[in-house]
Amino acid sequence: MSRRDPAGRRRAIIEAAVEVIAENGIDAVTHRRVAAAAGVPVGSTTYYFKDLKDLVHAALSHATDLTVQGLDQWSQALEASTDPAATLAELTGDYLAERDRFRTVNELYTAAAHHPELRPLARAWSDGLTGLLIPHADPHTARAAAVFIDGALLHALIHDQPLDTTTLTTALTALLASHEPTPARQPAKPDQPRQGLGQTH
Amino acid sequence: MSRRDPAGRRRAIIEAAVEVIAENGIDAVTHRRVAAAAGVPVGSTTYYFKDLKDLVHAALSHATDLTVQGLDQWSQALEASTDPAATLAELTGDYLAERDRFRTVNELYTAAAHHPELRPLARAWSDGLTGLLIPHADPHTARAAAVFIDGALLHALIHDQPLDTTTLTTALTALLASHEPTPARQPAKPDQPRQGLGQTH
Amino acid sequence: MSRRDPAGRRRAIIEAAVEVIAENGIDAVTHRRVAAAAGVPVGSTTYYFKDLKDLVHAALSHATDLTVQGLDQWSQALEASTDPAATLAELTGDYLAERDRFRTVNELYTAAAHHPELRPLARAWSDGLTGLLIPHADPHTARAAAVFIDGALLHALIHDQPLDTTTLTTALTALLASHEPTPARQPAKPDQPRQGLGQTH
Amino acid sequence: MSRRDPAGRRRAIIEAAVEVIAENGIDAVTHRRVAAAAGVPVGSTTYYFKDLKDLVHAALSHATDLTVQGLDQWSQALEASTDPAATLAELTGDYLAERDRFRTVNELYTAAAHHPELRPLARAWSDGLTGLLIPHADPHTARAAAVFIDGALLHALIHDQPLDTTTLTTALTALLASHEPTPARQPAKPDQPRQGLGQTH
DNA sequence: TATGAATGAGTCTTCATTCAT
DNA sequence: GATGAATGAAGACTCATTCAT
């Protein structure tokens, strides 16, 4: 991040932008604010990114990468777990404790609502999470669990306390236990197609 | 919205602001844009609202009112239903079909993340929904269902299609059927509705 | 041009812009420079013109109006003259003595080369002049004389002295005396079509 | 334009600058744009030219050289012609068909209006042309013809079509046939070519 | 009461130029 | 010799807000 270190400087700017997004929202991202946060002159932020849009995209992309990388650990933890639902609830609880992380994810979601070009990025988290659960549930169930976790994100956003572990565990247990339609109870539809994630594409 | 009708003019401005929020996000709200959308002179927007913040707050408040008022219908429908989970899924599906409505809710959520004074407003929807479900489930379960529905909102935001009714129904059924992991303490509500899957379509 | 005089203020800005164009060229027109020349704050120049392009267009349009209005006098003088060519030469000489005027015309020509939307404006002078001469010469001859006068403009631009009256008179006399094809010498083509100004459209 | 060829690289930059001038005007010349057009790194444009002004000057100078060199052919063609006016009209027509060429000349003219140091360059074309005609007409007449041709340049700039050959021929014939209003002083050149209209097409 | 006029602050962006490597 | 990095200056434009009328 010092002089003559292009890669480092670029990264410093991106990280500063991520910080601003988490703290103040995407629309608070200005060249000046990011430059100040990164400790570089304003000119640098326009030198490394052709556009403010470009800078924001890079920042969101970086944050998404980190978040999605974190899913590897979820995957391993679930693999090793004897009670996936409880483990998932725990992981979710940890995730919701990182305000900056999930705030950034939500900013991305909101921005994606108005800017379709951000949607693939926005889907990375929710689809990644869904995919992660596939080994432990059928696709629709996995999706439902991921949706619930995103709901918990919104909940944490507007309440001072995130959802408690108990509620998370109970809900996720119930969701993961569901299958649709329940084969045992409705043997008439024994092997329904499992064509992946539905609306995900 | 015509001259000589202060109240109507004020309302026209608020509604225009809600429109702008739904379509372009909270940060796209400017006096000029709202005035243009409402078909009133720019001066009006500063005359009726001391501040832009004030105007935005009024708009979000108005939108929240409408949304919360809609919950009455949910309440009645659930009351009359023999399969609350299925009914809830159906209501949710209808809600997710109104892009402007749920987009506005999400804008409010996101703004509330950075502006605590908006949180009470933001909680109106999720708390109202939770309260609504109390007659049909224990508080934690009700909360979990409301959380799931908010998750479905995020899902709809970034996918071209909202979650399908089947997934909604399955998930909500599972959630409502769940109960706190200490069932011994709540034997008083033994017969919550558990009528199976009851697909509506 | 004082406070609270919208029309006057707008005009002051336009006139300042014309001044800047004449003195420094179209590309020297900036909000700041014009504001300084007009003695108004920068904000005013953006308040009255949505765009810098808009401001430049207004300025060029204003200058063209003035110039074209001047053609009325040319018309009357030619009408009253017993020697149109000499009179035209004299008028041209006067015109070339007004540096600001013809410089502005030339700036318009040059800008029109890159910006087609300015061409109608640019043609106003040359077409107006051509039309003016129609009573005194056939259309092609009139056009040729107008073209010559524009050439004299360029000449004046890059020489310290404009073309002397003698050269102007001689040339314009020769041009106006020409007719094409000379009916007397080529009686075979006596009444060639006179469909207006040719490429002017 | 390849590495290890300083002279070629310098020329490539100059030619790219000429291109930019012809297409977008002198004020569109920036280091970045020229570098992009030339396919060289931005640094090169500052390495080979101390200044942007320097680069522009070099480009205009280069373009003027080419244009003036082209006058040799005009000279030869006129020498060989039995009808100089018609030949001149034809040459002018060809010249006006090269948009890039005459646009560049005009850019130079316009720039020269504001930057006296460019005037010698600007005069090269018009003076060269005048000199060229001296063998075929007295100096004032030659000047008048050159002036007319520059007028035709302006005409072409703002109309979609350049002046037609007929108009050019008629006008140039008339001009070259003219002589100072004091014919008594120049009986020495009694038999300038006056072969009539001699249309080339 | 209502509104068009007015403006200073703040933002994005482009760019000439300098300089370390 | 050559060039990518770096930055401060300058310009277009938007806007919230104030205010005269």
Side-chain angles (χ1 to χ4, degrees):
Chain A
M1 63 192 177
S2 60
R3 302 224 151 201
R4 294 280 140 185
D5 175 10
R9 200 156 246 245
R10 193 172 197 280
R11 193 152 38 79
I13 293 173
I14 288 180
E15 283 167 1
V18 172
E19 209 175 294
V20 172
I21 290 173
E23 279 172 23
N24 307 103
I26 281 186
D27 291 283
V29 176
T30 67
H31 287 120
R32 276 154 186 69
R33 220 184 305 252
V34 171
V40 302
V42 187
S44 289
T45 61
T46 60
Y47 178 72
Y48 284 97
F49 303 91
K50 80 173 211 298
D51 228 62
L52 193 59
K53 215 175 93 175
D54 196 31
L55 171 53
V56 168
H57 194 100
L60 290 174
S61 192
H62 178 71
T64 303
D65 278 356
L66 291 184
T67 302
V68 170
Q69 275 167 32
L71 286 180
D72 276 352
Q73 299 173 354
W74 290 45
S75 197
Q76 291 164 24
L78 286 172
E79 208 81 15
S81 169
T82 57
D83 184 350
T87 303
L88 184 58
E90 200 177 345
L91 290 165
T92 302
D94 293 347
Y95 163 65
L96 293 179
E98 296 178 80
R99 283 196 86 73
D100 281 1
R101 168 86 14 116
F102 74 78
R103 266 192 180 183
T104 306
V105 170
N106 185 63
E107 286 293 333
L108 173 55
Y109 278 175
T110 303
H114 304 296
H115 304 287
E117 73 272 18
L118 290 175
R119 290 193 193 154
L121 222 46
R123 286 196 286 253
W125 160 252
S126 105
D127 287 357
L129 183 53
T130 301
L132 196 72
L133 298 175
I134 297 276
H136 306 275
D138 73 281
H140 290 90
T141 298
R143 170 64 69 190
V147 161
F148 175 81
I149 292 173
D150 275 345
L153 179 164
L154 280 190
H155 178 92
L157 220 50
I158 61 173
H159 290 86
D160 299 322
Q161 303 281 337
L163 275 184
D164 60 289
T165 309
T166 305
T167 304
L168 283 175
T169 308
T170 309
L172 288 170
T173 302
L175 283 171
L176 289 185
S178 80
H179 16 109
E180 167 240 340
T182 313
R185 290 187 185 169
Q186 300 194 3
K189 290 181 179 176
D191 50 20
Q192 68 154 21
R194 292 196 175 189
Q195 313 91 325
L197 300 178
Q199 320 68 10
T200 306
H201 60 120
Chain B
M1 65 190 172
S2 61
R3 301 217 149 214
R4 305 275 90 200
D5 176 9
R9 191 158 259 232
R10 193 171 196 281
R11 191 153 40 80
I13 294 173
I14 288 179
E15 283 167 2
V18 172
E19 211 175 292
V20 172
I21 290 173
E23 278 172 24
N24 306 105
I26 282 184
D27 290 278
V29 176
T30 67
H31 288 121
R32 282 157 184 69
R33 221 184 306 256
V34 171
V40 303
V42 190
S44 292
T45 60
T46 57
Y47 179 70
Y48 287 98
F49 303 88
K50 91 172 207 296
D51 228 54
L52 193 61
K53 214 174 94 175
D54 194 32
L55 171 52
V56 168
H57 198 281
L60 290 175
S61 191
H62 177 71
T64 303
D65 279 356
L66 290 184
T67 303
V68 170
Q69 275 167 33
L71 285 181
D72 276 352
Q73 298 173 355
W74 290 45
S75 198
Q76 291 164 23
L78 286 173
E79 208 81 16
S81 170
T82 57
D83 184 349
T87 303
L88 185 57
E90 202 175 348
L91 291 164
T92 302
D94 293 347
Y95 163 65
L96 293 179
E98 294 179 83
R99 280 194 89 72
D100 280 3
R101 169 82 18 113
F102 74 77
R103 267 193 180 183
T104 306
V105 170
N106 186 64
E107 287 292 333
L108 173 56
Y109 278 175
T110 303
H114 305 296
H115 303 287
E117 74 272 19
L118 289 176
R119 290 195 194 153
L121 222 45
R123 283 196 286 256
W125 159 253
S126 101
D127 286 356
L129 182 53
T130 301
L132 195 73
L133 298 174
I134 295 281
H136 306 275
D138 72 279
H140 290 91
T141 299
R143 171 65 70 189
V147 161
F148 175 82
I149 291 173
D150 275 346
L153 179 163
L154 281 190
H155 178 92
L157 221 50
I158 61 171
H159 291 86
D160 300 322
Q161 305 277 338
L163 274 184
D164 61 291
T165 307
T166 305
T167 304
L168 283 175
T169 308
T170 308
L172 287 170
T173 301
L175 283 171
L176 289 184
S178 78
H179 36 88
E180 290 302 294
T182 49
R185 289 188 185 171
Q186 300 192 1
K189 291 181 182 177
D191 51 14
Q192 288 180 37
R194 285 197 182 186
Q195 301 94 327
L197 294 172
Q199 297 188 205
T200 45
H201 298 273
Chain C
M1 65 189 178
S2 59
R3 300 223 151 201
R4 295 279 140 186
D5 175 10
R9 198 156 248 243
R10 193 172 198 280
R11 192 154 36 79
I13 293 173
I14 288 179
E15 284 166 3
V18 172
E19 210 175 294
V20 172
I21 291 173
E23 280 172 23
N24 306 104
I26 282 184
D27 291 283
V29 176
T30 68
H31 287 121
R32 279 156 184 69
R33 220 185 305 253
V34 171
V40 301
V42 187
S44 289
T45 61
T46 60
Y47 177 72
Y48 284 97
F49 303 90
K50 80 174 211 298
D51 229 61
L52 193 60
K53 214 174 94 176
D54 196 31
L55 170 53
V56 167
H57 195 100
L60 291 174
S61 191
H62 177 70
T64 303
D65 279 356
L66 290 184
T67 302
V68 170
Q69 275 168 32
L71 286 180
D72 276 352
Q73 299 173 353
W74 290 44
S75 197
Q76 291 165 22
L78 286 173
E79 208 81 15
S81 169
T82 57
D83 184 349
T87 303
L88 185 59
E90 201 176 344
L91 290 164
T92 303
D94 293 347
Y95 163 64
L96 294 178
E98 294 178 83
R99 282 195 86 72
D100 280 2
R101 168 90 8 122
F102 74 78
R103 267 193 180 182
T104 305
V105 170
N106 185 64
E107 287 292 332
L108 173 55
Y109 278 176
T110 303
H114 304 297
H115 304 287
E117 72 274 18
L118 290 175
R119 290 194 194 155
L121 222 46
R123 287 196 284 253
W125 160 253
S126 107
D127 287 355
L129 182 53
T130 302
L132 197 73
L133 299 175
I134 296 278
H136 307 276
D138 73 280
H140 290 90
T141 299
R143 171 64 70 190
V147 161
F148 176 80
I149 291 173
D150 274 346
L153 179 163
L154 280 190
H155 178 91
L157 219 52
I158 61 173
H159 290 86
D160 299 323
Q161 303 280 337
L163 274 183
D164 60 289
T165 309
T166 306
T167 304
L168 283 175
T169 308
T170 309
L172 287 170
T173 302
L175 283 172
L176 288 185
S178 80
H179 14 110
E180 165 244 337
T182 313
R185 289 188 184 170
Q186 301 195 0
K189 291 181 181 177
D191 51 19
Q192 67 153 29
R194 292 197 176 190
Q195 315 91 323
L197 299 178
Q199 322 64 11
T200 306
H201 60 120
Chain D
M1 61 192 174
S2 60
R3 303 219 148 212
R4 305 275 90 202
D5 175 9
R9 192 158 259 232
R10 194 172 196 281
R11 191 151 42 78
I13 294 174
I14 288 178
E15 283 166 2
V18 172
E19 210 175 292
V20 172
I21 291 172
E23 279 172 25
N24 306 105
I26 282 184
D27 289 278
V29 176
T30 67
H31 288 120
R32 280 156 184 70
R33 222 185 303 258
V34 171
V40 303
V42 189
S44 291
T45 60
T46 57
Y47 179 71
Y48 287 100
F49 303 89
K50 93 172 205 298
D51 227 57
L52 194 60
K53 215 174 90 176
D54 194 33
L55 170 53
V56 168
H57 198 282
L60 290 175
S61 190
H62 177 71
T64 303
D65 279 356
L66 289 184
T67 302
V68 171
Q69 274 166 33
L71 286 180
D72 276 352
Q73 298 173 354
W74 289 45
S75 197
Q76 290 164 24
L78 286 173
E79 207 81 17
S81 170
T82 57
D83 184 349
T87 302
L88 185 58
E90 201 176 349
L91 291 164
T92 302
D94 293 348
Y95 164 64
L96 294 178
E98 294 178 83
R99 279 194 90 72
D100 279 2
R101 168 85 14 116
F102 75 77
R103 267 193 178 183
T104 306
V105 169
N106 186 63
E107 286 292 332
L108 174 56
Y109 278 176
T110 303
H114 306 297
H115 303 287
E117 73 273 19
L118 289 175
R119 288 191 196 156
L121 221 47
R123 283 197 287 258
W125 159 253
S126 102
D127 288 355
L129 182 53
T130 301
L132 194 74
L133 298 174
I134 296 281
H136 306 275
D138 73 279
H140 289 90
T141 299
R143 172 64 70 188
V147 161
F148 175 81
I149 291 173
D150 274 346
L153 178 162
L154 280 190
H155 178 92
L157 221 48
I158 62 173
H159 290 86
D160 299 323
Q161 304 277 339
L163 274 183
D164 61 291
T165 307
T166 305
T167 303
L168 282 176
T169 307
T170 308
L172 287 171
T173 302
L175 282 172
L176 289 185
S178 79
H179 36 87
E180 289 302 295
T182 48
R185 288 191 184 169
Q186 301 195 2
K189 290 182 182 174
D191 51 14
Q192 287 180 37
R194 285 197 183 188
Q195 301 91 327
L197 293 174
Q199 296 188 206
T200 45
H201 297 276

